[in-house]
Amino acid sequence: MPNKRLFLTVFVICFSLVVLTVGLGELSQSKKNAQKVQPFPQVDTSISISGTEMAEPNVTQNEKATGKPKKWYSQQVVVLTYHHVTDGSGQRYVITPEQFARHMSFLHENDLNPISLEEFLHFVDTGSLPTENAVLITFDDGYESYYTHAFPILRTYGYPSVNFVIAGRLRDVADRKRENMTTPLTRQQVMEMLHSGLTDIGSHTYSLHEEEARNEWGETGPETAPVYLQDLQRLENEEEYRDRLYVDFRMSRAGLNKWLGREIHAISLPFGYTNPVVLETARQAGYAYVFTSTPGFVKRGANPFAIPRNDVGLRDVDEVKLQQLFTKAKKEFEGEQS
């Protein structure tokens, strides 16, 4: 009898050890599998995101409906332009954070695929795109609202974008919040977003983003156009005009190059103003790509010094108008294929 009890005791202990070993093995494998299905690594950033903006965290393509993706077009890009994202402004070129979130949701739900500036410029150079339904999301002016309101939403979807900044306004000192000026980005904020891999930077001139007198009657126009010299009571001549543009374009590019540690080759023109002198001077200052405000779609063989964009960063642009824009792009594409 004692031998029988000893045998039973040994058997129970051995059986328990086997069960425990198998259980631990399954738990370990479960953890490994869980690590494999993470959608993408968490972005290293200190941006504080509100509960509303985190409502759809880390949306990925795999989470879309399993139906066949929509095909709007291929071998072309729709470039979208935004400026300021805020609730607290009645200006024309402003969109609310909630409206911007709906725009990004529209892109996601309709299988429209934002690409990076690098991918876009490669397409302009070679005609090669990484995806159908390509979209480039651009911002002008370098406002702080890009960091506080737009970027958290873009990061939720993993969407890349580019901000064309007014280089002379980027600063970390107190006067960046002076009266009658929309608060610009700080350098620290820019570097933080660059570190995410979802943001790129281009030039929006160094300080030519205001309007100046263009004649003796005080009528105003963009600073990138010839201006009236009040002290001399005349319009600046062509040499003066070229020199002024070149100094500004060069200062912006040189400053951004040094600060970011890489070459900046793209510039967005304030107010979309352009003429042969502006384009020639941009080329001389080292830019290879010029973004305008002319509506249209970028196709193979596009002129890199006349890149069209579609301004959708307006309060009256809703999902219906986005639908109309991309339907137009689709019809143009289909018309060229027939």
Side-chain angles (χ1 to χ4, degrees), residues 160-181:
S161 63
V162 54
N163 200 311
F164 294 97
V165 300
I166 304 168
R169 294 185 184 177
L170 294 177
R171 60 191 71 190
D172 298 315
V173 294
D175 70 342
R176 60 185 285 271
K177 293 191 176 184
R178 64 182 180 271
E179 189 176 357
N180 298 324
M181 187 181 84

Side-chain angles (χ1 to χ4, degrees), residues 84-91 94-99 145 149 315:
H84 194 18
V85 183
T86 183
D87 283 314
S89 175
Q91 298 175 358
V94 173
I95 189 171
T96 67
E98 294 74 19
Q99 191 178 356
S145 65
H149 296 306
R315 292 194 184 277

